Amino acid sequence: MFETDSLGYKLLNGKIKSHSEQLNKFVAGLFDSDGMVGLKFNSCGSSSYNNEAYYRIQLVSQIDQSASNDPDLCMIRSLKKHYGIGTVSFRAREQWAHQAIWNMAGKDSHIFYNLVGKHLIIKRKHFENMLWLYDELKGVRLTEEQIQELKEFSICSRDSSAKEVNKKHISPAYLAGLIAGDGWITVRLNVPRLRRGWLSHENQMSCAITLHELDSLVLKKIASDYGGRVVPKDKHMMSWRRNLGKESKSFALRFIPELLKYMCLPKKYVALKKILQFHKLPAETKCLELEKVCDSPRR
């Protein structure tokens, strides 16, 4: 599946050195798409004077992966093992809802931010706000009224967390992480299409990322660095899409190898590899290979 010199192979086989800045960038992209940081409030009893309940603050962060995106849930397990922080829990309901959740709390969230924080784009400011609140209030007994105020601040902080994009360039490692979470790779070959009464066949190969409209500046920066278009997707959602088909062959032959170096999610690594292999086929053999390349289900 993975080439032995790729980051994904090294991660899943435990061959990454203790510090890998490229892996940190990949995880930052993954966290910006499938991660969460917030505050949890644990009850510490009530006052004997007025019977009012009190709580203590806890900082929590996590990354979720569904079985539909990572069928063996091997990537999230390997990330937890490599970084040596947090715990991995599993949520198993119906088949489509199987999930692995990498949970980090308190000190582990601090360690995680120290490793990947400088590479975060979408959730960096929100993470910093939560860290600041936790450091200010840890050990303090909070009332329900104070908790409500903190929750409102947390929501506002999260909504305004991606107003600016200060990165000079979106790195391929970060982009691979973003695609692993909120992106998909389309590989559909020899698709029948009716045009003006004539039946023709076409190839559909592309890479796309869908984010909330508040994060559209990130998508525009990606489009500026890698080409493609940013368009409305659904309500409050925006999508960046880059064609990787025949008319973009020269770009695909440069772009896909860069992503493959850093993609740690097996499913999307395989989809990217199929597109690259197709472009490398001699023209006279492509028609024979069309049926061998299966559609990659979208995330």
Side-chain angles (χ1 to χ4, degrees):
M1 183 186 298
F2 287 105
E3 299 290 337
T4 56
D5 61 343
S6 69
L7 189 66
Y9 174 85
K10 294 175 182 176
L11 173 67
L12 269 61
N13 289 276
K15 296 182 180 295
I16 297 181
K17 296 179 180 179
S18 57
H19 179 80
S20 170
E21 207 60 36
Q22 297 304 324
L23 182 62
N24 291 342
K25 292 177 182 178
F26 173 85
V27 174
L30 185 65
F31 186 85
D32 269 347
S33 55
D34 282 343
M36 181 281 292
V37 59
L39 302 174
K40 182 178 178 182
F41 303 98
N42 299 317
S43 174
C44 57
S46 58
S47 170
S48 57
Y49 173 72
N50 56 11
N51 204 33
E52 184 176 8
Y54 286 94
Y55 302 84
R56 294 191 189 278
I57 196 170
Q58 183 181 28
L59 178 70
V60 293
S61 56
Q62 66 183 48
I63 298 177
D64 298 353
Q65 279 295 289
S66 66
S68 61
N69 197 38
D70 185 8
D72 297 324
L73 300 174
C74 56
M75 183 186 70
I76 208 75
R77 288 188 181 107
S78 297
L79 287 172
K80 187 270 175 188
K81 182 178 180 180
H82 171 77
Y83 284 98
I85 55 176
T87 60
V88 173
S89 60
F90 300 92
R91 185 179 300 156
R93 294 193 290 268
E94 299 178 17
Q95 181 62 37
W96 58 268
H98 288 191
Q99 273 186 320
I101 307 168
W102 182 17
N103 302 284
M104 291 160 282
K107 184 170 67 174
D108 283 348
S109 288
H110 271 278
I111 295 172
F112 179 77
Y113 180 81
N114 290 337
L115 292 167
V116 308
K118 64 182 178 182
H119 302 302
L120 294 174
I121 300 176
I122 297 172
K123 295 172 182 171
R124 179 176 57 83
K125 182 179 177 182
H126 180 56
F127 209 136
E128 289 173 351
N129 286 336
M130 296 302 99
L131 283 169
W132 175 78
L133 272 177
Y134 174 70
D135 288 338
E136 288 290 314
L137 298 174
K138 63 182 177 182
V140 176
R141 295 201 309 173
L142 303 168
T143 65
E144 291 185 357
E145 182 179 354
Q146 290 172 320
I147 287 175
Q148 187 58 40
E149 292 177 357
L150 290 171
K151 287 180 178 178
E152 291 175 1
F153 172 81
S154 178
I155 292 172
C156 293
S157 170
R158 182 165 59 251
D159 287 347
S160 62
S161 62
K163 295 296 184 184
E164 298 181 8
V165 180
N166 297 318
K167 295 284 185 182
K168 293 182 179 179
H169 178 71
I170 301 292
S171 73
Y174 175 88
L175 183 60
L178 208 58
I179 292 170
D182 279 333
W184 66 85
I185 311 297
T186 300
V187 191
R188 293 170 32 175
L189 302 178
N190 206 24
V191 179
R193 183 170 180 176
L194 192 64
R195 290 182 177 177
R196 297 179 182 179
W198 293 89
L199 183 64
S200 62
H201 292 76
E202 64 179 25
N203 301 325
Q204 297 173 0
M205 293 176 279
S206 63
C207 174
I209 300 170
T210 299
L211 298 173
H212 193 277
E213 61 185 0
L214 290 172
D215 306 323
S216 60
L217 286 177
V218 178
L219 297 179
K220 290 176 182 177
K221 179 60 178 171
I222 293 172
S224 173
D225 289 348
Y226 297 97
R229 296 186 304 144
V230 177
V231 296
K233 181 68 174 175
D234 298 311
K235 186 178 180 181
H236 302 307
M237 303 301 288
M238 300 291 288
S239 182
W240 166 76
R241 183 179 182 275
R242 184 59 162 97
N243 184 23
L244 298 174
K246 179 180 178 181
E247 59 274 28
S248 303
K249 177 179 177 179
S250 60
F251 171 80
L253 290 174
R254 299 191 310 271
F255 174 68
I256 295 178
E258 282 295 303
L259 283 184
L260 288 174
K261 285 182 186 176
Y262 308 113
M263 177 58 70
C264 297
L265 187 66
K267 176 180 175 180
K268 290 174 183 175
Y269 183 94
V270 170
L272 286 166
K273 195 70 178 289
K274 286 179 179 178
I275 299 176
L276 185 63
Q277 289 172 339
F278 178 79
H279 281 306
K280 288 183 175 181
L281 285 172
E284 61 272 16
T285 63
K286 282 188 178 179
C287 291
L288 298 176
E289 294 293 329
L290 286 176
E291 298 301 328
K292 296 181 181 179
V293 183
C294 300
D295 287 359
S296 293
R298 300 174 85 176
R299 177 179 175 271

